[in-house]
Amino acid sequence: MPGLTAEQLQQFDRDGFLVIPNFFTAEDASGLRQVAARLLDDLDMATHPKTRFTTMDSDEHVGDDYFLSSGDKVRYFFEVDAFDDKGELVTDKTKAINKIGHALHELEPEFRKFSFRQGVKDIMHSLQYKDPRILQSMLIFKASARRRPPPPPAAQLLPQPKIGGTVPPHQDSTFLYTNPPSAVGFWFALEDCTLDNGCMWFLPGSHKTIPVWQRMVRKPTGSGTTFIHLQDPVPDPPESEYVCAPVSVGSLVLIHGAVYHKSGHNYSDKSRWIYTFHCIEGEDAGHTYDERNWLQPTKEMPLAKLYETEA
Ligand SMILES: O=C(O)CCC(=O)C(=O)O
């Protein structure tokens, strides 16, 4: 069976991440970008909860519910800097979206075909997963947009960032927790990802030295999420120990669920569109995915069995 070579397996085991150039073609990437562009166009600002945020006292609940019920839908999440103080978009809606998620692999035929392709199955076979399930698919745009409105005069010497925001250091198993932890991220570069437009950064080997020490859970009452500690908190590892992973379009980056990773701001003129989903080991392999995880499978959309789903 193809899948990962012995050398790639060794590298993934050592570093906790693995770059696989040319995993898919430029045509694949272009096809997925077209679907992504259509989804961005489809966004209806009139019905998006952000529009309602400006007229509601408690915007958090709307935001929370919109997020927490997005596991089986295609929903839109804005960049932190997408709105000005008056709640107006600072740029075109198609440039203000940070991500679309979280069921593209189920609901969008092109993404479904791409996600359940044989190459993905082969990789999970070579990592010896018995019952992998795909969940939480996302398009992450990290937009390069028009500059934000000019800052007040006192701040004028500071750079004016564009709006594709950072992703802070984290371990994916914090957010997609199984007992024992098993998340693996599949991260596909739909465009070149460079130091300038916000490529990924990894702390090599951290999956072996830093256990998954916290998890994000649904609050037991009402909406929203919180973090619980599974053991003593681990301080954020030093920034200087991260290595960058610039990649070309067509690359797949595999991400171990316990490896620390992050990505930078997009200060450049170039966008950085990526598609990602995660696999977890399922219950047929003895792993538990419980009701406290933010993403809850539904009767209509159970966690998709990778090996049994046709592309
Ligand atoms: O694409 C990015 O910038 C961050 C993605 C990431 O950290 C993740 O999917 O876990």
Side-chain angles (χ1 to χ4, degrees):
M1 198 181 321
L4 301 178
T5 64
E7 198 184 333
Q8 286 173 320
L9 283 167
Q10 208 177 20
Q11 208 176 322
F12 184 63
D13 179 58
R14 184 192 65 209
D15 296 337
F17 71 99
L18 177 71
V19 176
I20 307 176
N22 302 315
F23 182 76
F24 58 105
T25 64
E27 289 73 36
D28 290 335
S30 156
L32 295 182
R33 284 201 310 271
Q34 277 174 34
V35 180
R38 194 251 303 149
L39 289 171
L40 287 173
D41 275 342
D42 285 351
L43 165 60
D44 179 3
M45 288 301 292
T47 55
H48 191 281
K50 180 61 205 171
T51 320
R52 286 188 278 146
F53 281 1
T54 53
T55 58
M56 288 186 58
D57 288 334
S58 175
D59 54 7
E60 235 188 272
H61 292 304
V62 178
D64 285 348
D65 291 343
Y66 185 77
F67 169 72
L68 285 177
S69 58
S70 66
D72 59 351
K73 299 184 184 65
V74 172
R75 287 197 163 162
Y76 299 81
F77 302 90
F78 284 98
E79 292 285 357
V80 171
D81 292 332
F83 294 90
D84 65 18
D85 294 345
K86 297 193 185 76
E88 303 291 335
L89 279 178
V90 299
T91 184
D92 184 80
K93 67 172 186 180
T94 61
K95 304 241 169 43
I97 292 296
N98 167 274
K99 69 177 180 183
I100 297 179
H102 288 95
L104 295 159
H105 64 292
E106 293 276 15
L107 299 175
E108 284 298 326
E110 291 299 320
F111 282 98
R112 185 180 168 89
K113 214 162 105 195
F114 185 79
S115 306
F116 290 95
R117 62 200 288 155
Q118 191 57 43
V120 169
K121 295 176 185 179
D122 291 342
I123 287 176
M124 291 312 283
H125 270 301
S126 54
L127 290 173
Q128 297 183 18
Y129 276 59
K130 295 190 179 62
D131 176 29
R133 314 287 183 107
I134 295 192
L135 72 176
Q136 192 185 244
S137 49
M138 298 178 276
L139 276 160
I140 303 181
F141 294 98
K142 209 179 270 289
S144 150
R146 280 202 335 241
R147 286 173 189 276
R148 295 168 65 188
Q156 239 147 28
L157 290 180
L158 296 173
Q160 291 178 307
K162 300 182 184 184
I163 75 173
T166 58
V167 174
H170 64 280
Q171 296 169 302
D172 287 343
S173 283
T174 299
F175 302 94
L176 298 170
Y177 186 76
T178 57
N179 188 8
S182 62
V184 180
F186 280 73
W187 188 100
F188 304 93
L190 302 184
E191 297 185 298
D192 291 340
C193 303
T194 65
L195 271 175
D196 288 339
N197 71 1
C199 69
M200 298 288 280
W201 291 74
F202 293 92
L203 188 59
S206 49
H207 62 306
K208 287 189 186 280
T209 54
I210 309 178
V212 178
W213 59 273
Q214 63 174 343
R215 58 177 291 203
M216 188 178 87
V217 294
R218 288 174 172 248
K219 284 184 186 159
T221 53
S223 59
T225 55
T226 186
F227 288 86
I228 57 170
H229 293 168
L230 304 168
Q231 58 160 78
D232 287 344
V234 175
D236 265 353
E239 298 280 323
S240 58
E241 291 177 9
Y242 282 78
V243 299
C244 61
V247 296
S248 304
V249 60
S251 300
L252 162 63
V253 185
L254 269 190
I255 305 173
H256 189 288
V259 78
Y260 266 76
H261 60 286
K262 60 177 187 170
S263 67
H265 210 294
N266 182 0
Y267 287 111
S268 80
D269 289 325
K270 296 208 165 61
S271 55
R272 195 225 66 170
W273 288 14
I274 69 96
Y275 172 60
T276 183
F277 59 75
H278 293 79
C279 279
I280 53 160
E281 186 66 289
E283 58 196 23
D284 293 355
H287 285 54
T288 313
Y289 183 90
D290 69 28
E291 68 292 342
R292 287 182 294 171
N293 278 311
W294 85 262
L295 191 155
Q296 287 302 310
T298 58
K299 196 148 60 63
E300 295 73 30
M301 198 181 286
L303 300 181
K305 279 177 170 277
L306 174 66
Y307 295 152
E308 292 170 23
T309 306
E310 292 300 318

